[in-house]
Amino acid sequence: MKVSLDQSVPQIGAPEVWKAGYDGTGVKVAVLDTGVDTGHPDLAGKIADAQSFVPDETVQDGNGHGTHVADTIVGSGAASDGKYKGVAPGAQLLVGKVLDDTGSGQESWIISGMEWAANSGAKIVSMSLGGTASGPSDVMSQTVDELSAATGTLFAIAAGNTGPSGKTIGTPGIADSALTVGAVDKSDNLASFSSRGPRTGDYAVKPEITAPGVSITAARAAGTSMGTPVNDYYTTASGTSMATPHVAGAAALVAEAHPDWTGQQIKADLASTAKTMTDATPFEQGDGRVDAVRAVEQGVFATPTLSFGKFDDGDNDVVTKDITYTNTTDHAVELTVASSLTDLALGSGTVTVPANGTATVPVGVDPSGRPRAATPVTSPRPPTVSGSPRASASRRHRRRTT
């Protein structure tokens, strides 16, 4: 099954959001990649700032990957009479070149790019890159978490292209705060190459969301042959690299509609409103395929994933965690809460979320298998962010195209 921007953008509902008056105007989205073709017609007038973190290379894209990704987010479709328009064509683009013209880069370049983007006013940072994860956290993912907490920026990061095996999510997509993106085709079937969870080391749920990423036609950088060229201005490529900018663009639409929302609220909203597929597990699809219309309109969302990890033989203590429901509307909402998991106990069957407020529902898991009710918790516990020295590293990370 093949799909191009003229199909994948409607697939996630973006044109309906445009009709409602939101196209990403006023929102800055940073793309950390191989740079962009600054002369491409689709990106004319879109670039608010650009910087290269690759020694001896300018932001000009000599690979083609970054141009394709950027066009999927903000492209005007000028070179195709509007046919290949991006998800958020009104958004402003910040270009950080962190991968060289061969498509790879050092962690130090990428970390510098993340710091620059988050401190340059980017509400969304799109990263279609990554490397093999050796555990649940590392310097790259810790940097994502630290910057997310400090600046309120949302990092949308590709899950990777090493599916269909499990525990294949790459770094920095393993970061707790990242909105990690898998790929589907035009029929919303999970792409075989899309990396799956759980997260290596602690069995946390990843990815949180999916988006179209199979045979996506978008901008081609001049003089490059990445993907399968269609003409001088467009090329077709597949990967979670192609799915990630669809989510980043949808996040820009939400950010324009709800300018006071934090990055983590946008993440929770996008995941909570995604279209869940019955034939894919949470470790494959997270909450499902991004739905821009629901994400902009719904106004009520919940904790996107709740990970209890892995239990070993002999574990008998009940583990309780909270689902936090957020209501950004001006009226209270009563929700019915249910679970299809027999070994999971909910603290309540209903919850009333006050106007412009939050409410929590405790969720308990008993590894012994004995039925027990979850103990109500009166207030949510704030998240913690772990930090570590950022040692320079030479391990190289690559773009996420298959």
Side-chain angles (χ1 to χ4, degrees), residues 54-379:
V54 179
D56 303 320
E57 290 190 12
T58 69
V59 297
Q60 188 65 23
D61 187 5
N63 177 278
H65 190 265
T67 300
H68 195 280
V69 168
D71 188 52
T72 302
I73 302 172
V74 304
S76 66
S80 60
D81 295 324
K83 181 179 182 181
Y84 299 131
K85 185 183 291 187
V87 177
Q92 295 178 291
L93 185 66
L94 301 180
V95 179
K97 183 164 183 170
V98 298
L99 303 178
D100 61 24
D101 288 341
T102 70
S104 64
Q106 294 192 10
E107 287 183 351
S108 58
W109 306 347
I110 299 168
I111 289 173
S112 294
M114 287 193 288
E115 292 173 337
W116 168 79
N119 290 298
S120 295
K123 188 70 174 183
I124 318 296
V125 177
S126 184
M127 299 178 65
S128 292
L129 55 82
T132 301
S134 58
S137 183
D138 54 25
V139 173
M140 289 274 287
S141 63
Q142 288 169 11
T143 301
V144 171
D145 288 335
E146 291 167 1
L147 291 172
S148 298
T151 66
T153 301
L154 174 63
F155 286 80
I157 305 178
N161 301 316
T162 51
S165 298
K167 294 194 287 187
T168 51
I169 302 295
T171 184
I174 57 173
D176 286 330
S177 60
L179 179 54
T180 308
V181 186
V184 297
D185 64 17
K186 68 181 296 182
S187 298
D188 289 332
N189 295 313
L190 195 70
S192 61
F193 57 75
S194 188
S195 289
R196 275 80 160 163
R199 183 167 64 186
T200 298
D202 66 354
Y203 289 78
V205 178
K206 284 284 180 178
E208 287 89 1
I209 203 166
T210 62
V214 177
S215 296
I216 303 297
T217 299
R220 175 187 179 188
T224 66
S225 57
M226 192 277 298
T228 304
V230 174
N231 54 37
D232 288 344
Y233 294 109
Y234 296 98
T235 189
T236 302
S238 297
T240 56
S241 278
M242 285 63 248
T244 301
H246 282 84
V247 171
L253 300 179
V254 174
E256 182 191 2
H258 304 281
D260 57 330
W261 287 8
T262 66
Q264 290 306 293
Q265 286 180 309
I266 295 173
K267 171 185 173 177
D269 173 66
L270 286 167
S272 293
T273 56
K275 180 182 178 183
T276 305
M277 305 303 158
T278 58
D279 58 349
T281 71
F283 288 134
E284 295 171 331
Q285 66 173 331
D287 277 301
R289 193 260 296 149
V290 61
D291 183 337
V293 177
R294 282 191 62 195
V296 167
E297 293 180 349
Q298 185 159 293
V300 179
F301 48 85
T303 304
T305 60
L306 204 61
S307 298
F308 286 85
K310 179 185 178 182
F311 292 102
D312 294 320
D313 291 340
D315 289 340
N316 292 311
D317 293 334
V318 176
V319 177
T320 301
K321 296 188 177 183
D322 294 335
I323 298 175
T324 299
Y325 293 89
T326 300
N327 178 9
T328 64
T329 72
D330 294 328
H331 57 275
V333 175
E334 184 176 49
L335 303 174
T336 299
V337 185
S339 172
S340 60
L341 303 176
T342 58
D343 55 356
L344 183 148
L346 297 172
S348 175
T350 61
V351 60
T352 299
V353 192
N356 297 302
T358 63
T360 60
V361 173
V363 179
V365 172
D366 185 353
S368 70
R370 293 169 292 183
R372 299 182 188 175
T375 302
V377 179
T378 56
S379 61

